């Protein structure tokens, strides 16, 4: 279980809370770094030795922050439960969860770094909140306040987006109280009535063919093709590991162990770590460009193109070999890759989504709202820690479709 620090008096407890709050903000802004403890010590007026009065090491700090994040979120759900109507409870929960004037809720973005016992504890806490939120949604369905839906999947979608909002600082956004309030307002609007202009319109979007993205070869004598296939396998595995555990704390030695190869062989195919990180970003670029272009070329209605893009993007981000590296950066990436390049990638991704929705508004398939606020939200809704089995393609596709529907038509009764 997570180690509890000694608490001798109210002053000590307050200092501990301050420590975890600053740690949560730094983790949201930069991810886990080997300089985090030293940075925290300086920002709070601690010596590094004094800091070890509260935490044993980096993993202990991370587990304490994540545990506190779940507890805070649970407390805000408790507060929201003072409302009676399920829609009011949901609205109050989102608003309090994203309140920038309150203690920081850390995104559970690098839970892969937790030790097994700490990971199990955080997952249990997270599941508890998800279950309670699902019960609120189920009550709304029973009362016909909400449309028929899968309450557990809706709860997971909401928590995923709530946890993702604080990561806006990694994308170069100012995420002060006003921006958090804007994010909460838009999220509540979309959860109520969705972004589709016609909530009753039936849709049946075609599937985007992802086979051009899969590198394979059937000719064992084609050395160039074999080289590219092995290189893609490395980039695919590295992208998933970076997403789960962060760049700083994922070593080439660990990557080689997972792949069943050697570090020198990694160097042969992808170079050093800086090159590997850049190649993972470039791979994400290729995947995202392909999806946008493929969606635009689908022979279907404009609404179905948007849904097909969001469903496919959500599907590959829920797991599998095509999962792209996230457009986020840590101290390590800042040093190895120019931060303006990382920010430009993230900005392009956000702008392409805003453009897509602006085009939909011009065609009257998307209801009027400020599309610029979409930069605060993640409509692919994959920021949580609860995910389907990565080998269950059918379940992943079903979950992705359901997650997109949460935001497309909202939860209000039809």
């Amino acid at each position: 279980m997570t180690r509890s620090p000694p608490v001798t008096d109210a002053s000590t407890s307050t200092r501990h809370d301050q420590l975890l709050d600053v740690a949560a903000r730094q983790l949201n802004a930069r991810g886990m770094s080997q300089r985090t403890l030293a940075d925290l010590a300086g920002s709070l007026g601690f010596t590094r030795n004094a800091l070890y009065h509260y935490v044993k090491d980096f993993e202990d700090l991370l587990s304490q922050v994540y545990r506190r994040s779940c507890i805070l979120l649970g407390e805000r759900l408790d507060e929201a439960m003072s409302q009676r109507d399920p829609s009011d409870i949901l609205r109050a929960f989102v608003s309090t969860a994203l309140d920038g004037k309150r203690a920081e809720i850390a995104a559970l973005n690098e839970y892969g770094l937790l030790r097994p016992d700490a990971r199990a504890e955080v997952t249990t806490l997270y599941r508890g909140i998800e279950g309670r939120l699902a019960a609120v949604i189920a009550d709304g369905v029973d009362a016909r306040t909400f449309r028929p839906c899968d309450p557990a999947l809706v709860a997971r979608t909401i928590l995923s987006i709530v946890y993702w909002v604080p990561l806006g600082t990694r994308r170069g956004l100012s995420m002060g109280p006003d921006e958090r309030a804007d994010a909460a307002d838009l999220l509540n609007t979309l959860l109520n009535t969705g972004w589709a202009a016609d909530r009753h319109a039936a849709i049946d979007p075609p599937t985007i063919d992802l086979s051009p993205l899969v590198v394979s070869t059937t000719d064992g004598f084609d050395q160039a093709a074999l080289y590219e296939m092995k290189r893609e396998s490395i980039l695919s595995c590295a992208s998933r590991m970076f997403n789960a555990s962060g760049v700083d704390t994922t070593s080439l030695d660990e990557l080689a162990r997972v792949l069943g190869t050697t570090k020198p062989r990694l160097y042969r195919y992808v170079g050093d770590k800086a090159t590997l990180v850049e190649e993972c970003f470039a791979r994400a670029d290729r995947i995202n460009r392909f999806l946008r272009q493929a969606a635009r070329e689908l022979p279907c209605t404009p609404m179905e193109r948007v849904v097909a893009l969001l469903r496919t993007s959500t599907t590959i981000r829920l797991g599998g070999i095509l999962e792209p590296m996230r457009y986020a950066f840590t101290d390590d990436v800042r040093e190895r890759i120019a931060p303006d390049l990382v920010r430009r990638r993230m900005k392009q991704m956000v702008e392409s989504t805003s453009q897509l929705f602006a085009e939909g508004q011009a065609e009257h398939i998307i209801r009027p709202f400020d599309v610029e606020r979409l930069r605060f939200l993640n409509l692919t809704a994959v920021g949580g820690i609860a995910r389907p089995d990565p080998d269950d393609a059918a379940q992943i596709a079903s979950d992705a479709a359901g997650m997109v529907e949460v935001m497309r038509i909202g939860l209000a009764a039809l």
Side-chain angles (χ1 to χ4, degrees):
M1 300 292 286
T2 303
R3 172 180 180 268
S4 297
V7 177
T8 57
D9 53 37
S11 176
T12 300
S13 178
T14 299
R15 293 277 273 176
H16 183 228
D17 287 342
Q18 290 174 341
L19 165 65
L20 295 184
D21 189 60
V22 173
R25 294 182 188 279
Q26 290 199 10
L27 287 168
N28 284 341
R30 293 162 28 185
M32 195 65 169
S33 164
Q34 294 303 308
R35 287 170 292 283
T36 299
L37 286 184
D39 290 345
L40 284 171
S43 64
L44 288 175
F46 283 85
T47 64
R48 187 164 183 174
N49 286 338
L51 198 62
Y52 284 110
H53 176 69
Y54 298 97
V55 297
K56 292 188 300 184
D57 49 30
F58 291 103
E59 289 79 4
D60 185 37
L61 171 66
L62 189 65
S63 64
Q64 287 192 41
V65 171
Y66 280 5
R67 181 176 183 275
R68 177 176 179 265
S69 176
C70 291
I71 291 173
L72 288 174
L73 206 57
E75 290 173 349
R76 293 177 196 182
L77 181 54
D78 289 338
E79 182 179 335
M81 295 290 284
S82 64
Q83 305 291 324
R84 292 189 176 184
D85 186 81
S87 60
D88 291 335
I89 293 173
L90 187 56
R91 187 178 302 107
F93 172 67
V94 168
S95 298
T96 56
L98 296 179
D99 189 343
K101 296 179 181 178
R102 299 193 181 200
E104 185 82 346
I105 291 178
L108 309 182
N109 202 48
E110 292 161 327
Y111 59 91
L113 292 175
L114 297 176
R115 296 186 180 100
D117 58 340
R119 189 183 311 161
E121 181 182 17
V122 169
T123 300
T124 298
L125 289 169
Y126 174 91
R127 291 286 194 183
I129 299 168
E130 182 184 280
R132 292 176 59 206
L133 189 58
V136 171
I137 295 163
D139 287 344
V141 173
D142 290 342
R144 299 187 179 180
T145 300
F146 295 151
R147 63 176 174 82
C149 61
D150 179 345
L153 186 63
V154 171
R156 193 179 315 153
T157 302
I158 294 170
L159 290 177
S160 172
I161 297 173
V162 164
Y163 272 122
W164 195 84
V165 169
L167 297 177
T169 49
R170 293 199 193 189
R171 306 191 302 280
L173 298 176
S174 170
M175 292 302 297
D178 290 344
E179 287 77 16
R180 299 284 181 98
D182 284 345
D185 180 65
L186 178 57
L187 179 52
N188 275 324
T189 297
L190 296 182
L191 286 175
N192 184 34
T193 54
W195 49 261
D198 183 356
R199 299 178 67 221
H200 296 84
I203 61 166
D204 185 22
T207 301
I208 294 177
D209 180 12
L210 298 176
S211 61
L213 293 173
V214 179
V215 178
S216 61
T217 178
T218 57
D219 183 356
F221 294 99
D222 187 341
Q223 295 302 309
L226 283 172
Y227 177 88
E228 286 303 318
M229 185 175 66
K230 291 178 180 179
R231 190 169 183 277
E232 172 62 18
S233 296
I234 294 172
L235 296 179
S236 173
C237 184
S239 295
R240 295 194 299 274
M241 291 178 68
F242 288 152
N243 287 344
S245 303
V247 173
D248 294 357
T249 46
T250 301
S251 67
L252 291 185
D253 289 321
E254 184 180 6
L255 176 60
R257 179 184 60 78
V258 171
L259 287 168
T261 187
T262 63
K263 195 171 179 178
R265 286 181 66 83
L266 289 182
Y267 276 108
R268 174 187 172 191
Y269 288 102
V270 295
D272 60 11
K273 187 173 182 181
T275 304
L276 172 61
V277 172
E278 171 55 29
E279 288 301 315
C280 286
F281 275 132
R283 175 178 177 271
D285 289 342
R286 292 193 296 274
I287 291 172
N288 290 321
R289 282 197 303 268
F290 173 86
L291 293 181
R292 292 195 297 270
Q293 185 60 36
R296 288 184 179 278
E297 294 175 356
L298 288 175
C300 58
T301 67
M303 171 62 76
E304 288 171 333
R305 291 191 189 103
V306 176
V307 173
L309 174 60
L310 292 176
R311 283 187 182 180
T312 307
S313 296
T314 303
T315 296
I316 66 173
R317 284 166 173 79
L318 282 174
I321 62 172
L322 287 177
E323 180 181 345
M325 180 154 163
R326 297 187 192 124
Y327 287 137
F329 60 89
T330 63
D331 284 351
D332 185 64
V333 176
R334 287 188 198 222
E335 293 177 359
R336 296 169 184 271
I337 301 174
D340 61 332
L341 177 59
V342 179
R343 291 181 189 275
R344 188 162 62 248
R345 280 189 166 114
M346 292 187 283
K347 183 179 179 182
Q348 288 172 346
M349 189 69 179
V350 170
E351 288 178 344
S352 67
T353 300
S354 298
Q355 179 184 357
L356 188 66
F357 274 73
E359 292 172 358
Q361 288 178 337
E363 297 179 10
H364 306 292
I365 63 168
I366 293 177
R367 69 175 63 253
F369 65 87
D370 183 1
V371 297
E372 291 302 311
R373 288 189 178 185
L374 287 175
R375 69 188 185 279
F376 299 132
L377 305 183
N378 181 3
L379 295 182
T380 56
V382 289
I385 64 175
R387 300 190 179 194
D389 182 342
D391 295 324
D392 191 341
Q395 187 62 55
I396 289 175
S398 176
D399 283 5
M403 286 177 160
V404 171
E405 284 300 277
V406 172
M407 304 299 283
R408 187 181 79 88
I409 61 176
L411 297 175
L414 294 168

